Amino acid sequence: EKKIFVQVGFFSQEENATTRLKDCRDKNINDVFIKKTKSSKSNDYFYRVLTGPFNSKERANQKLIELKEKNIESIILEINDE
């Protein structure tokens, strides 16, 4: 089942994802977390910094606007829940 998230970062190195997470928390965005994902093309892992899930695209869009107001770039993603 796909769930809607807002992604604020996508990194190949965990430390960069952790830095992004801290940046968000410093701006009082405390509902962010890191999701480690295996690449479909290789054996590499990458790290998404996400907030959610949201039960509608409208809710996710509200979050997107809130993040933009704090100068945090983000995108809405639908991700299969593992």
Side-chain angles (χ1 to χ4, degrees):
E1 180 192 0
K2 284 191 183 263
K3 292 193 175 171
I4 303 166
F5 293 88
V6 173
Q7 177 176 290
V8 296
F10 182 84
F11 302 96
S12 57
Q13 294 182 326
E14 190 172 13
E15 67 185 282
N16 294 339
T18 303
T19 300
R20 184 66 161 159
L21 188 79
K22 286 179 185 156
D23 289 346
C24 290
R25 293 200 169 144
D26 288 345
K27 294 180 179 183
N28 285 326
I29 298 150
N30 297 310
D31 55 349
V32 286
F33 63 96
I34 295 171
K35 182 174 174 63
K36 184 178 176 182
T37 312
K38 196 170 192 298
S39 170
S40 56
K41 298 182 183 76
S42 68
N43 286 327
D44 296 331
Y45 285 94
F46 50 85
Y47 303 86
R48 296 181 190 276
V49 184
L50 302 168
T51 176
F54 298 93
N55 54 17
S56 69
K57 286 209 168 143
E58 290 74 25
R59 283 266 170 86
N61 205 43
Q62 287 171 352
K63 189 67 175 185
L64 201 79
I65 292 164
E66 179 192 328
L67 291 165
K68 197 170 184 70
E69 287 169 353
K70 296 183 180 190
N71 293 318
I72 297 172
E73 288 299 311
S74 58
I75 58 168
I76 294 174
L77 279 186
E78 288 190 46
I79 302 175
N80 282 322
D81 207 30
E82 286 135 31

